[in-house]
Amino acid sequence: MAEIEPLRSVSIDVAQECIQIRTDLPDAELKEIGEFIDSRFSRSAKFQMDNKKRLALLAVELTSEIFELRKQLRRAKVYYDTMEKDVKNLSLLLDEGIARATSGREDDI
């Protein structure tokens, strides 16, 4: 079983703020997350809003994306479950067909 990494305290610069967080994420992943947020945050610079409002806007955008991804994941799971059921049914039909073909050959002998 995989070991759970202990949480560590780190400072991360994101959206023009330095914040202290506790995380088990590796530094490379934290850097990637910070860069992603900074990139998305900078897109709203063209709007004449203070950082607090820009961060709120970004939070709404990202939350909307998360909700959409969750919907897609649910649809994919339904599709996967349906496909898995269909594969089991086809497998049973194949096994049944093989059994009939095999028993038919034995009658010929």
Side-chain angles (χ1 to χ4, degrees):
M1 190 162 106
E3 258 185 62
I4 297 175
E5 294 290 322
L7 295 180
R8 59 192 173 90
S9 182
V10 296
S11 292
I12 183 171
D13 291 319
V14 66
Q16 302 175 352
E17 295 288 332
C18 182
I19 57 173
Q20 189 81 18
I21 61 171
R22 294 183 47 78
T23 183
D24 60 349
L25 296 175
D27 289 338
E29 198 167 331
L30 284 173
K31 183 176 186 275
E32 187 177 357
I33 291 168
E35 288 171 352
F36 176 80
I37 292 171
D38 284 341
S39 169
R40 294 291 296 268
F41 183 71
S42 67
R43 290 199 302 187
S44 64
K46 61 186 171 197
F47 305 116
Q48 299 300 315
M49 294 186 270
D50 65 5
N51 284 353
K52 184 177 176 182
K53 287 183 181 180
R54 287 174 58 198
L55 285 170
L57 178 62
L58 178 58
V60 170
E61 288 175 4
L62 294 176
T63 302
S64 175
E65 290 176 16
I66 289 169
F67 278 48
E68 182 58 35
L69 288 171
R70 285 181 176 172
K71 282 191 240 176
Q72 290 176 12
L73 184 59
R74 282 192 296 271
R75 285 193 300 263
K77 181 167 179 0
V78 167
Y79 180 76
Y80 173 82
D81 291 344
T82 302
M83 293 299 293
E84 187 176 36
K85 183 179 172 183
D86 289 346
V87 167
K88 284 180 184 178
N89 289 336
L90 287 171
S91 179
L92 290 172
L93 289 171
L94 181 60
D95 289 345
E96 185 180 303
I98 290 172
R100 283 186 188 165
T102 305
S103 67
R105 286 189 191 144
E106 291 172 0
D107 293 340
D108 291 340
I109 298 178

